[in-house]
Amino acid sequence: KKIIGAIVVLIPIVFLAACGTSGGILGAGENELKLAHNQSLDHPVHKSLAEFGRLVEEKSDGEISVNIYANGQLGSEREAIELTQTGAVDLAKVSASALESFESDYSIFSVPYVFEDYQQFEEAMSNKEVTDRLYLQTEEIGFRALTYYNAGERNLYTKNREVKDVSDMNGLKVRVQPSQTSVGMIEAFGGVPTSMAYGEVYTALQAGVIDAAENNETALVNNNHGEVAKYYMYTEHQIVPDMLIMNSARFDRFSDEEQEIIMEAAEESTIYHEDVWEQTIKENTEIAKNEMNVQFVEVDKDSFIDSVQEMHKEFAESEKTGEIYDLLKGAIE
Ligand code: GCU
């Protein structure tokens, strides 16, 4: 009787433990992947992630599905990276800048003016040596990158100060991403950086905790920052991609064929994203101008570039970042 009793108790425990290997905090099945990100449902990056999910499902004949948790409902980008590391979520979309404190190679994207233009950025991101290094470097800390999404050029925007050249940055309180390199950039410009999660920026601007932030045009419209920030300056200081990352152990549990499906879907969603992005930036610029009264300002870009030359020297010479700096520069020369 005792033995039978023990078996009856053990069966559900063993069963639950087996379910637990799917690693999900949300109790999803083994082939249902959970993806976390911090953008709204109408953001172009969300649309491309949805396309990624659709492609995975289609290519796997419905065997694998992707469930998206948008709007930062599972936390900030930092938290999303940590959840991906532990396997509590399977996938996350986060800015390369947010990855910098996990892997120093990613800091390269936050070095201001490391790319002269978007074409150079594309050249670097289509260089396999660059992407292999970036994507796989984090395997030992629990995740890999599958692909990137264009997140445009980052520009400065202020509540009420028009900035024409770098000298106008003096004392300006600017929100940056949780990235030491971005902190260094605003200091080099002469401003006062404050790093905070993206979800806090609107309120911080409104309350006057910060005078400014910097981002692509979707921040004005998709995140409503254009309601409080009335000047958008084309400083074009960074081109920081969004990265799709995946828990390494989860990826490795898939068969070769399934891994290929996931990789293909990721790459195709990046291509899909290019058009969605371009279209949205055009639309958002018009909406910000005409409906939100945001003024778009051309700046003396050279004055900004001059102010960060020392940073370039530091990155090129540092033991931590010298290699990736050279690799990236080599890819665009
Ligand atoms: C971009 C990026 C986001 C990021 C945000 C930020 O919008 O796409 O992933 O969170 O910048 O400034 O934090």
Side-chain angles (χ1 to χ4, degrees):
K1 256 197 184 166
K2 263 190 191 163
I3 292 172
I4 292 173
I7 291 172
V8 169
V9 171
L10 271 177
I11 287 172
I13 292 176
V14 170
F15 179 72
L16 279 178
C19 290
T21 57
S22 73
I25 43 169
L26 301 155
E30 181 71 5
N31 284 334
E32 184 189 314
L33 301 175
K34 294 173 290 291
L35 190 167
H37 76 84
N38 67 349
Q39 300 288 11
S40 60
L41 301 181
D42 59 4
H43 193 278
V45 167
H46 175 82
K47 292 181 186 159
S48 304
L49 292 168
E51 175 66 5
F52 164 71
R54 193 191 66 75
L55 286 165
V56 167
E57 215 162 321
E58 182 183 275
K59 287 172 190 283
S60 68
D61 291 328
E63 285 281 308
I64 312 171
S65 61
V66 179
N67 233 329
I68 304 183
Y69 297 83
N71 286 313
Q73 56 182 294
L74 299 183
S76 66
E77 292 206 323
R78 186 179 177 86
E79 285 155 342
I81 298 168
E82 287 166 353
L83 292 172
T84 311
Q85 272 187 306
T86 62
V89 304
D90 305 297
L91 297 140
K93 185 294 298 168
V94 295
S95 171
S97 292
L99 286 164
E100 167 177 337
S101 48
F102 294 81
E103 166 50 57
S104 57
D105 268 9
Y106 278 107
S107 64
I108 205 68
F109 294 104
S110 300
V111 177
Y113 303 107
V114 75
F115 304 110
E116 269 171 29
D117 49 31
Y118 187 69
Q119 201 186 328
Q120 282 198 350
F121 166 80
E122 265 187 323
E123 265 170 50
M125 296 312 274
S126 51
N127 182 301
K128 204 160 153 33
E129 224 185 311
V130 172
T131 49
D132 273 356
R133 177 176 168 132
L134 281 171
Y135 292 7
L136 303 177
Q137 189 89 327
T138 50
E139 288 275 61
E140 48 190 54
I141 54 166
F143 62 90
R144 60 157 61 204
L146 303 181
T147 192
Y148 73 95
Y149 298 104
N150 176 9
E153 284 167 331
R154 294 182 77 95
N155 296 304
L156 176 83
Y157 52 96
T158 62
K159 269 182 97 165
N160 43 33
R161 189 192 297 188
E162 187 172 348
V163 171
K164 289 274 196 193
D165 64 44
V166 80
S167 66
D168 297 327
M169 294 291 292
N170 209 2
L172 195 74
K173 280 183 278 170
V174 187
R175 177 270 173 173
V176 289
Q177 297 197 74
S179 136
Q180 263 316 110
T181 311
S182 299
V183 167
M185 168 186 75
I186 295 299
E187 282 170 352
F189 289 164
V192 183
T194 305
S195 93
M196 66 178 76
Y198 196 34
E200 293 164 27
V201 179
Y202 182 94
T203 317
L205 270 173
Q206 200 180 35
V209 175
I210 48 172
D211 312 308
E214 47 79 53
N215 217 316
N216 58 60
E217 294 85 341
T218 66
L220 300 173
V221 177
N222 294 93
N223 304 86
N224 303 318
H225 295 182
E227 287 173 6
V228 272
K230 296 300 173 191
Y231 292 95
Y232 190 82
M233 268 66 56
Y234 284 120
T235 45
E236 297 170 341
H237 52 268
Q238 289 169 337
I239 302 177
V240 183
D242 275 350
M243 306 302 302
L244 179 60
I245 60 168
M246 181 166 189
N247 174 268
S248 294
R250 185 69 201 87
F251 185 80
D252 294 342
R253 280 206 300 280
F254 280 118
S255 68
D256 287 355
E257 199 192 324
E258 290 166 331
Q259 289 180 358
E260 212 164 293
I261 286 174
I262 293 171
M263 291 309 298
E264 263 179 36
E267 275 164 35
E268 286 171 28
S269 69
T270 295
I271 297 166
Y272 170 90
H273 180 69
E274 286 300 322
D275 284 345
V276 182
W277 184 264
E278 206 183 311
Q279 184 65 24
T280 310
I281 294 305
K282 269 191 207 142
E283 281 167 18
N284 278 4
T285 307
E286 288 312 305
I287 296 171
K289 261 186 206 161
N290 303 330
E291 293 171 30
M292 297 172 125
N293 285 324
V294 176
Q295 294 201 38
F296 286 75
V297 181
E298 294 295 339
V299 299
D300 171 7
K301 215 167 122 179
D302 286 342
S303 69
F304 283 86
I305 297 174
D306 288 348
S307 73
V308 296
Q309 287 316 302
E310 197 52 39
M311 271 185 91
H312 277 252
K313 216 169 141 232
E314 272 167 37
F315 269 78
E317 287 168 5
S318 141
E319 227 174 86
K320 254 177 145 183
T321 52
E323 258 183 54
I324 187 75
Y325 186 89
D326 288 347
L327 188 61
L328 200 88
K329 283 292 186 186
I332 58 186
E333 258 153 25

